[in-house]
């Protein structure tokens, strides 16, 4: 009897698992151009009301009763105004797209759908229907008459995901062949018209892509986009309203140069007072002019760190004769540099400042030779080989972060715990310290990046007696790298313990030795 009950229980469990698997396998597929599904786990055992848009003011399907249970399959695509766009199964052959209020557990979701929507405008050219299930049942949610206007959000597989612009708030899918694009009606907003005119003045080629309740979106002909946030009164000398994204170098240069010219106009008192915001005392005095210029430079520096630095330095290198503009370019470059490294700069004279900054490039530091600070042939060869590897890693980083990379150099130091030589082979167990230093003014050296890692280093000796690197095995895993260290120590627990406990080798000494060898006898490493 007991055996029979066990068999029945097992059959019931297998039946449940098979049904669960079937449910999982029955989730209808999506087109390739659909928004990607996010890896979000909704809290189990909950039921949420579903609306067609991100808010309770939007239409709710199923006679106002549409809901989703998190015990069934639910796909999440991202958040919009604190609501999650989801897709779920209603019944066999019927799914639904809609929104639920984001549970606390999903507040950190990274995909902001509000930044992905096109916000274009369209009008139906024939009678059609709107559906919330375009890829399965295509069930009608609302009949749509020809001539109805819509805000276009997202195009996918022959459908437009769209929102009503008048009447009851509603989102859903409309066949693409039933819609035609119409101009975005930003002309009714005086501030938006001024913003478009100002963007035209930069010389950047663009088209107006769309408009939501607060933003006007632009696509740029050379690539990239930007949007204007219409929550302030239009103020030409304020960059808080503008948000550029992925501008090409050509457009970024036009953008930067346009606002730097504005900064020059303000500083020289050539900006109309009506364009300047008053200071805290309600006056348009010198302090206010300084604040406007500072805001312009801070805005540009914040939006164009690496890209803008390269652009303004190239323009300074051209020595185009515009002293006021070159000084402003230098001020922007120095502000960006202040964020990227600690090079002291005086941008009062633009090209003079640039020439002083780049003078060091004409007398670059020579390559680091480990033989300067490491006399043992084996250790010298190992240090040099590792230094060449790490120097390549740092080179790409230096070109992005430290403009004076001709004065930056990489050194490597080994704290060797054991050396084993067999014929023409040698194995070193060592903690490898790698560090990148920058030398300023021939006097001050600064450590800008460094790390250390336990390694086993395999070396081989050639017929000329020179050692070369055969292989390096780096610690990779575990608390304090313990498992991999023990592995490459071949079970020698004492050796592994020493490598984990005794830390890094000194790199300051080798770098100072190198500097002294090349004539920088008074250089010191500063914090």
């Amino acid at each position: 009897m007991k055996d029979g009950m066990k068999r029945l229980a097992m059959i019931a469990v297998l039946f449940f698992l098979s049904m669960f698997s079937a449910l999982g396998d029955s989730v209808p597929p999506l087109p390739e151009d659909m928004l990607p599904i996010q890896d979000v786990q909704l809290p189990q055992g909950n039921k949420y009301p579903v609306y067609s848009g991100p808010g309770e003011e939007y239409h709710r399907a199923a006679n106002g009763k549409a809901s989703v249970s998190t015990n069934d399959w639910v796909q999440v695509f991202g958040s919009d105004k604190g609501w999650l766009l989801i897709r779920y199964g209603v019944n066999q052959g019927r799914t639904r797209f809609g929104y639920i209020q984001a549970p606390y557990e999903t507040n950190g979701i990274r995909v902001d759908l509000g930044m992905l929507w096109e916000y274009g405008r369209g009008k139906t050219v024939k009678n059609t229907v709107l559906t919330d299930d375009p890829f399965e049942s295509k069930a009608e949610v609302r009949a749509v008459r020809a001539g109805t206007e819509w805000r276009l959000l997202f195009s996918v597989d022959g459908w437009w995901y769209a929102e009503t612009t008048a009447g009851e708030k509603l989102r859903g899918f409309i066949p693409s062949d039933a819609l035609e694009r119409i101009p975005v009606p930003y002309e009714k907003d005086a501030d938006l018209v001024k913003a478009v005119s100002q963007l035209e003045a930069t010389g950047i080629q663009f088209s107006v892509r769309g408009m939501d309740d607060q933003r006007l979106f632009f696509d740029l002909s050379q690539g990239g986009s930007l949007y204007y946030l219409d929550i302030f009164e239009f103020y030409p000398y304020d960059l808080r309203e503008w948000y550029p994204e992925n501008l090409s170098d050509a457009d970024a240069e036009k953008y930067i140069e346009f606002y730097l010219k504005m900064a020059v106009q303000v500083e020289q008192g050539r900006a109309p007072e009506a364009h300047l915001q008053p200071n805290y005392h309600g006056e348009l005095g010198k302090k206010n002019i300084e604040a406007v210029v500072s805001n312009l430079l801070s805005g540009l520096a914040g939006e164009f760190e690496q890209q803008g630095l390269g652009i303004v330095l190239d323009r300074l290198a051209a020595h185009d004769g515009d002293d006021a503009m070159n000084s402003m370019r230098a001020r922007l470059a120095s502000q960006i540099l202040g964020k990227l490294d600690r090079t002291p700069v005086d941008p009062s004279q633009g090209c003079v400042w640039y020439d002083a900054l780049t003078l060091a490039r004409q007398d670059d530091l020579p390559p680091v030779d480990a033989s300067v600070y490491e006399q043992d042939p084996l250790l010298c060869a190992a240090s040099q080989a590792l230094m060449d590897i790490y120097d390549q890693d740092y080179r790409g980083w230096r070109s992005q972060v430290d403009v004076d990379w001709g004065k930056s150099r990489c050194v490597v130091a080994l704290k060797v715990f054991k050396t084993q030589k067999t014929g023409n082979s040698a194995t070193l167990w060592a903690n490898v310290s790698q560090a990148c230093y920058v030398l300023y003014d021939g006097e001050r050296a600064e450590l800008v990046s460094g790390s250390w890692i336990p390694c086993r280093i395999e070396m081989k000796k050639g017929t000329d007696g020179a050692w070369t690197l055969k292989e390096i095995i780096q610690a990779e895993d575990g608390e304090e790298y313990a498992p991999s260290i023990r592995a490459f120590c071949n079970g020698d627990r004492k050796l592994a313990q020493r490598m984990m406990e005794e830390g890094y080798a000194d790199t300051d000494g080798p770098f100072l030795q190198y500097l002294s060898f090349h004539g920088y006898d008074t250089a010191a490493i500063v914090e």
Side-chain angles (χ1 to χ4, degrees):
M1 180 69 176
K2 290 182 178 179
D3 290 342
M5 291 296 292
K6 287 181 179 178
R7 281 195 296 272
L8 286 173
M10 184 61 69
I11 291 170
V13 169
L14 291 173
F15 177 77
F16 172 78
L17 290 175
S18 67
M19 288 296 292
F20 183 82
S21 175
L23 275 173
D25 293 339
S26 66
V27 177
L30 289 168
E32 291 184 0
D33 54 347
M34 184 58 193
L35 298 167
I37 300 169
Q38 304 305 304
D39 185 16
V40 175
Q41 186 65 47
L42 296 174
Q44 292 293 295
N46 289 348
K47 193 172 184 179
Y48 297 96
V50 178
Y51 297 86
S52 76
E56 294 182 358
E57 69 274 20
Y58 283 85
H59 173 78
R60 187 177 177 187
N63 295 318
K65 298 178 181 178
S67 300
V68 61
S69 169
T70 56
N71 291 334
D72 301 321
W73 67 266
V74 182
Q75 295 169 326
V76 179
F77 301 94
S79 65
D80 192 350
K81 301 174 184 176
W83 291 68
L84 298 182
L85 174 60
I86 66 168
R87 179 193 184 217
Y88 66 99
V90 177
N91 51 47
Q92 188 67 32
R94 174 77 164 96
T95 68
R96 176 177 290 129
F97 284 86
Y99 291 80
I100 62 171
Q101 197 148 28
Y104 173 79
E105 294 85 346
T106 62
N107 283 348
I109 190 168
R110 296 181 179 180
V111 178
D112 181 359
L113 297 172
M115 297 304 298
L116 297 181
W117 302 143
E118 180 169 316
Y119 295 116
R121 291 298 176 104
K123 180 174 65 175
T124 50
V125 294
K126 60 183 179 181
N127 293 339
T128 186
V129 297
L130 176 140
T131 181
D132 56 12
D133 185 22
F135 312 123
E136 291 298 312
S137 68
K138 301 176 179 56
E140 178 181 331
V141 172
R142 179 71 51 81
V144 178
R145 291 184 177 180
T148 307
E149 293 191 7
W150 298 84
R151 179 179 287 128
L152 307 179
L153 301 177
F154 183 69
S155 177
V156 52
D157 196 35
W159 297 84
W160 269 107
Y161 185 52
E163 178 178 335
T164 51
T165 60
E168 182 189 21
K169 301 195 77 170
L170 174 67
R171 285 187 181 183
F173 294 85
I174 299 174
S176 297
D177 62 5
L179 281 166
E180 69 175 7
R181 287 181 175 274
I182 58 175
V184 177
Y186 67 86
E187 294 87 351
K188 296 179 181 179
D189 186 318
D191 282 349
L192 295 185
V193 171
K194 292 176 184 177
V196 172
S197 297
Q198 181 163 301
L199 185 55
E200 289 174 338
T202 66
I204 295 172
Q205 299 297 311
F206 66 90
S207 60
V208 178
R209 185 205 332 160
M211 181 177 66
D212 68 359
D213 296 334
Q214 291 188 327
R215 296 170 295 185
L216 191 62
F217 295 83
F218 304 89
D219 285 327
L220 309 185
S221 301
Q222 297 294 321
S225 63
L226 55 81
Y227 69 87
Y228 174 81
L229 186 59
D230 184 26
I231 61 173
F232 305 102
E233 181 181 355
F234 181 79
Y235 169 44
Y237 297 92
D238 191 349
L239 292 181
R240 290 178 300 170
E241 300 99 330
W242 292 98
Y243 294 84
E245 296 179 346
N246 302 317
L247 269 64
S248 68
D249 285 348
D251 281 346
E253 181 173 349
K254 291 177 181 176
Y255 189 95
I256 291 168
E257 290 285 295
F258 179 81
Y259 284 105
L260 287 181
K261 287 178 182 176
M262 279 193 161
V264 170
Q265 290 173 3
V266 173
E267 191 163 70
Q268 294 180 343
R270 294 188 288 117
E273 285 193 356
H275 288 191
L276 299 179
Q277 289 181 333
N279 60 28
Y280 293 117
H281 303 290
E283 301 171 350
L284 293 173
K286 182 178 180 181
K287 287 178 64 178
N288 182 58
I289 288 175
E290 292 174 356
V292 171
V293 173
S294 176
N295 285 339
L296 280 165
L297 295 179
S298 297
L300 291 172
E303 294 292 350
F304 298 100
E305 278 192 7
Q306 308 291 356
Q307 189 181 27
L309 181 60
I311 288 169
V312 294
L313 290 181
D314 285 345
R315 294 304 295 264
L316 285 167
H319 286 231
D320 62 10
D322 188 337
D323 292 339
M325 186 63 170
N326 282 329
S327 182
M328 196 62 69
R329 289 170 182 146
R331 289 173 64 176
L332 175 59
S334 69
Q335 185 153 341
I336 297 174
L337 274 171
K339 296 162 68 84
L340 302 181
D341 74 26
R342 304 174 191 174
T343 306
V345 294
D346 178 9
S348 57
Q349 302 176 67
C351 290
V352 175
W353 168 83
Y354 174 77
D355 290 341
L357 177 71
T358 57
L359 187 61
R361 291 187 180 185
Q362 301 170 24
D363 184 24
D364 288 349
L365 288 169
V368 180
D369 187 341
S371 63
V372 170
Y373 61 85
E374 188 62 77
Q375 303 308 312
D376 180 278
L378 175 61
L379 298 185
C380 179
S383 299
Q384 187 66 55
L386 294 172
M387 189 158 50
D388 292 342
I389 293 172
Y390 294 133
D391 188 61
Q392 289 301 314
D393 292 340
Y394 279 121
R395 186 173 296 276
W397 173 82
R398 288 197 303 256
S399 67
Q400 294 294 315
V401 177
D402 179 18
V403 67
D404 195 9
W405 70 268
K407 284 293 185 183
S408 66
R409 286 295 177 262
C410 174
V411 298
V412 164
L414 306 182
K415 177 178 281 191
V416 180
F417 297 94
K418 181 179 178 180
T419 302
Q420 180 178 300
K421 292 183 179 180
T422 306
N424 291 327
S425 298
T427 302
L428 306 175
W429 285 266
N431 285 348
V432 179
S433 297
Q434 49 183 312
C436 184
Y437 293 86
V438 175
L439 180 65
Y440 303 119
D441 307 324
E443 295 290 332
R444 300 175 306 106
E446 180 185 12
L447 174 67
V448 294
S449 182
S451 63
W452 68 275
I453 190 166
C455 299
R456 186 173 80 186
I457 306 163
E458 304 284 353
M459 304 290 292
K460 62 181 180 180
K461 184 188 289 186
T463 55
D464 59 354
W467 290 98
T468 57
L469 180 66
K470 180 181 178 182
E471 182 183 16
I472 177 172
I473 303 171
Q474 297 181 326
E476 295 180 348
D477 55 359
E479 181 69 19
E480 295 183 320
Y481 309 113
S484 58
I485 294 175
R486 288 173 181 161
F488 66 58
C489 286
N490 301 325
D492 188 335
R493 289 181 172 272
K494 290 184 178 180
L495 175 60
Q497 197 67 28
R498 287 185 63 199
M499 295 186 74
M500 287 188 285
E501 291 178 351
E502 296 191 23
Y504 55 88
D506 170 56
T507 55
D508 287 358
F511 186 65
L512 289 175
Q513 280 182 261
Y514 157 77
L515 290 177
S516 178
F517 183 83
H518 289 291
Y520 297 93
D521 296 312
T522 60
I525 296 174
V526 298
E527 295 295 329

